[in-house]
């Protein structure tokens, strides 16, 4: 089986490759990267015989067409995206182009090349739910989508494009609405990595022991990335084409409680300061997903406890800084 991963040099993409190499000996991994992408998340895969790294920019239709023509993958995991919510207010057009046009380029190339049997997972997001009322949790897939950022709107579009290409052309698409996921290799702009890196730098004396934070009242449903990529894999093996599934832990934490748990692991005393620049024009206040549909379909359940994820993320940054 040939598997193509977009977002291969990123967080989930590199973990998905690790998972496949460890658990699926008959699978070849084709990871795409832009020529200038940073590679520290995949450097450990460079000498793997079952991994091939190809240059491709999924925002470019020619590049995507040529890559899919060469590989003719059996599975595509479309994980690549502009994925940081605040950037989507600063660069909404770029966010829309990358996230929406990238997916269209993949689907149109598949259509052109007659890749009828290729299954495609689209990494959609719990951000699509946006404004959620207190009586709507845990959130089911049927909840109204009320997106609160350009990023969230781009993910709603990606989600419905996958539905539409399934209905129009019979494509085998699966839409996974991933709730927050974190762990080692997470980019340093995302909250758990951001806080962990600040602690690691303070411990090494590279900064004052002052933690800068944004909105601590928001609540998020965190899954370890290693559980998340296992779910992505299962989505294309067990889920119904065209359908949508929450991937969540079925629990929620305030960002304040995440901060408290991380600070409890710190070797130095940390002072907390709110940084107005870290506040968003509109923030999703609560994400708490109902994962019943996906768990019943696939037998998946999250295995790694949240405290281990926090500790592993902090230790990752302790080695990096
Ligand atoms: N990044 C960041 N930095 N977030 C902070 C901070 C801070 O200093 N302080 C508080 N927060 C709050 C944010 O306001 C938000 O409510 C929450 O922490 C999580 O922020 P992020 O880690 O940036 O993630 P996100 O929830 O906006 O989006 C992530 O999850 C989505 C799935 O729900 C991203 O991974 C998206 O790509 C993904 O789709």
């Amino acid at each position: 089986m040939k598997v193509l991963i977009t977002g291969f040099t990123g967080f989930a993409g590199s973990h998905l490759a690790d998972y496949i190499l460890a658990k699926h000996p008959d699978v070849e991994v084709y990871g795409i990267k832009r020529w200038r992408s940073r590679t520290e998340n995949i450097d450990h895969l460079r000498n793997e015989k079952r991994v091939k790294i190809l240059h491709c920019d999924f925002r470019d239709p020619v590049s995507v067409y040529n890559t899919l023509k060469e590989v003719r993958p059996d599975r595509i995991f479309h994980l690549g995206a502009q994925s940081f919510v605040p950037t989507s207010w600063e660069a909404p057009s770029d966010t829309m182009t990358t996230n929406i046009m990238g997916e269209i380029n993949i689907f149109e190339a598949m259509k052109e090349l007659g890749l009828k049997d290729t299954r495609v997972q689209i990494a959609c997001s719990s951000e699509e739910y946006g404004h959620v009322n207190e009586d709507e949790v845990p959130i089911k897939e049927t909840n109204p989508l009320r997106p609160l950022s350009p990023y969230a709107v781009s993910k709603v579009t990606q989600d419905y494009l996958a539905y539409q290409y399934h209905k129009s052309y019979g494509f085998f698409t699966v839409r996974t609405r991933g709730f927050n996921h974190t762990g080692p290799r997470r980019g340093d702009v995302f909250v758990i990595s951001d806080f962990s890196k600040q602690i690691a730098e303070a411990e090494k004396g590279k900064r004052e022991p002052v933690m800068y934070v944004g909105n601590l009242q928001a609540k998020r449903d965190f899954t370890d990335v290693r559980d998340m990529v296992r779910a992505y894999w299962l989505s294309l093996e067990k889920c119904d084409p065209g359908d949508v599934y929450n991937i969540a832990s079925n629990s929620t934490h305030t960002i304040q409680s995440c901060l408290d748990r991380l600070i409890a692991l710190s070797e130095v005393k940390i002072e907390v300061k709110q940084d107005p620049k870290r506040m968003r024009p509109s923030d999703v206040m609560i994400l708490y997903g109902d994962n019943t549909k996906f768990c019943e379909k696939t037998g998946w359940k999250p295995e790694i406890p949240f405290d281990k994820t926090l500790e592993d993320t902090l230790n990752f940054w302790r080695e990096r800084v």
Side-chain angles (χ1 to χ4, degrees), residues 21 66 78 91 135 137 147 170 179 193 247 282 295 302 319:
L21 291 176
N66 288 334
H78 185 34
D135 61 355
V137 296
F179 284 63
S193 254
I247 306 183
S282 46
C295 293
E319 283 168 25

Side-chain angles (χ1 to χ4, degrees), residues 187-202:
D188 62 2
V189 291
F190 299 94
V191 69
I192 302 297
S193 254
D194 182 328
F195 292 173
S196 300
K197 188 178 175 190
Q198 292 191 60
I199 291 174
E201 286 177 343

Side-chain angles (χ1 to χ4, degrees), residues 83-86 124-127 151 155 178-181 186 189-192 194-195 198 212-216 218 220 222 255 278 280 283-284 287:
S83 62
F84 188 45
V85 174
C124 304
S125 168
S126 53
E127 277 289 301
Y151 167 79
K155 285 285 159 185
F179 284 63
N180 291 58
H181 41 294
R186 185 53 153 156
V189 291
F190 299 94
V191 69
I192 302 297
D194 182 328
F195 292 173
Q198 292 191 60
Y212 291 97
V213 301
N215 175 17
L216 298 180
R220 289 292 184 272
F222 287 98
I255 301 302
R278 289 168 184 252
R280 302 174 179 191
D283 201 1
V284 172
L287 289 175

